[in-house]
Amino acid sequence: MSVNPSIYRSERRWMQLTREKLRRERFLRCHVALIAVCTLAALLLGGALLRWAGVEALAWRYALLLPMTYLVYLGLLRLWASYLLHRDKDSYDGADIAADMLLQSQDGCAPRSAFESGGGGDFGGGGASADFSADFKDVAADSAGEFASGAAKLGGEVLGGLDEGAVVVVPLAAMLAIFALLAGLLSAAVLMLFGVEVLLLVCVEVALSAWMGGLAYRQQREGWLGRAFSHTWRGALAVMLLGLALGAAIDHFLPAADSLPQALTILRGKT
């Protein structure tokens, strides 16, 4: 079934207005932070359950836990999108827009946006589409810098406290490797997973699915899950690989550590 090109233009316009409205009226970075906190809570809870089940090795634990946590993260994105859209349901109701699009496909009239006032004023602010990716890059850079500074400080204290002929229980190289892997894991999560853009994509797709209804054009879209996966699978893969490497490093160099917090405590006690 062929679709009139005007529908594509109407869709793009509606998507732009929806994104601008969400950016303007919702504290999206706070919502993303809450999603991150909930994901971390699921990670900790899952780790405790696996430890209780007898999975002692951190590498194996992370191999099982991180993919499951990624699925939880995708589910949280969907739930949060529904919540954000439901709070102001009338503003995202596309029934009138869908009708305008169908009429436009017949007579070529320009659709009337649900975000336009009766006098023709457009509420889609020009400055509302600011990109917050730079903010998250700064956060990730600061986090990586803090971990690098902490690793350097711990290494300096170890070297400063060594007496002639003393044996270092935890090699400095192992310590630096653990901190570097942890910093890389956090950076990958902040830059590639917990971003405003991903939440916006899911919100727009959920809203589109609602107001497109049973139109055949709806079948041509990949849906919110496909969009979310296509924008996050690289970050999820990076987090999983770094998590496995981190777990293997802790298992090898700190076999007494039963968890990441315990490993960090042991590292501090060795300085």
Side-chain angles (χ1 to χ4, degrees), residues 11-21 129:
E11 177 209 354
R12 287 195 297 268
R13 178 60 176 164
W14 185 88
M15 290 173 63
Q16 178 186 358
L17 293 173
T18 302
R19 290 166 63 91
E20 291 174 357
K21 182 176 178 63
S129 59

Side-chain angles (χ1 to χ4, degrees), residues 127-168:
S129 59
D131 188 1
F132 294 106
S133 60
D135 296 336
F136 284 96
K137 291 181 180 179
D138 293 338
V139 172
D142 293 341
S143 300
E146 290 177 2
F147 276 103
S149 300
K153 182 178 179 181
L154 289 175
E157 293 177 358
V158 170
L159 293 177
L162 289 178
D163 294 328
E164 184 176 357
V167 177
V168 181

Side-chain angles (χ1 to χ4, degrees), residues 55-249:
V55 182
E56 299 294 338
L58 277 176
W60 281 107
R61 202 183 303 165
Y62 289 163
L64 297 172
L65 187 59
L66 290 175
M68 291 188 293
T69 306
Y70 177 59
L71 296 179
V72 171
Y73 162 71
L74 292 177
L76 287 172
L77 283 176
R78 178 62 176 83
L79 290 175
W80 237 271
S82 297
Y83 166 73
L84 291 175
L85 295 172
H86 181 72
R87 286 186 61 188
D88 195 5
K89 185 176 180 181
D90 293 338
S91 297
Y92 302 101
D93 187 4
D96 294 337
I97 302 177
D100 289 342
M101 289 170 57
L102 293 176
L103 290 174
Q104 182 187 9
S105 65
Q106 298 176 0
D107 55 24
C109 297
R112 181 175 179 269
S113 172
F115 295 93
E116 294 178 0
S117 65
D122 191 349
F123 292 97
S129 59
D131 188 1
F132 294 106
S133 60
D135 296 336
F136 284 96
K137 291 181 180 179
D138 293 338
V139 172
D142 293 341
S143 300
E146 290 177 2
F147 276 103
S149 300
K153 182 178 179 181
L154 289 175
E157 293 177 358
V158 170
L159 293 177
L162 289 178
D163 294 328
E164 184 176 357
V167 177
V168 181
V169 178
V170 181
L172 178 60
M175 185 185 304
L176 292 176
I178 291 175
F179 275 96
L181 287 170
L182 184 57
L185 189 151
L186 292 177
S187 299
V190 170
L191 291 174
M192 306 177 73
L193 287 179
F194 298 105
V196 171
E197 190 63 26
V198 178
L199 181 57
L200 277 174
L201 285 172
V202 175
C203 287
V204 169
E205 287 297 327
V206 171
L208 275 173
S209 177
W211 66 261
M212 288 302 293
L215 294 179
Y217 173 65
R218 179 183 177 184
Q219 300 177 358
Q220 302 179 21
R221 303 198 60 84
E222 56 182 332
W224 72 268
L225 184 58
R227 296 279 286 178
F229 180 77
S230 64
H231 281 76
T232 59
W233 73 266
R234 296 177 183 83
L237 180 61
V239 169
M240 291 176 192
L241 293 178
L242 289 170
L244 288 176
L246 178 61

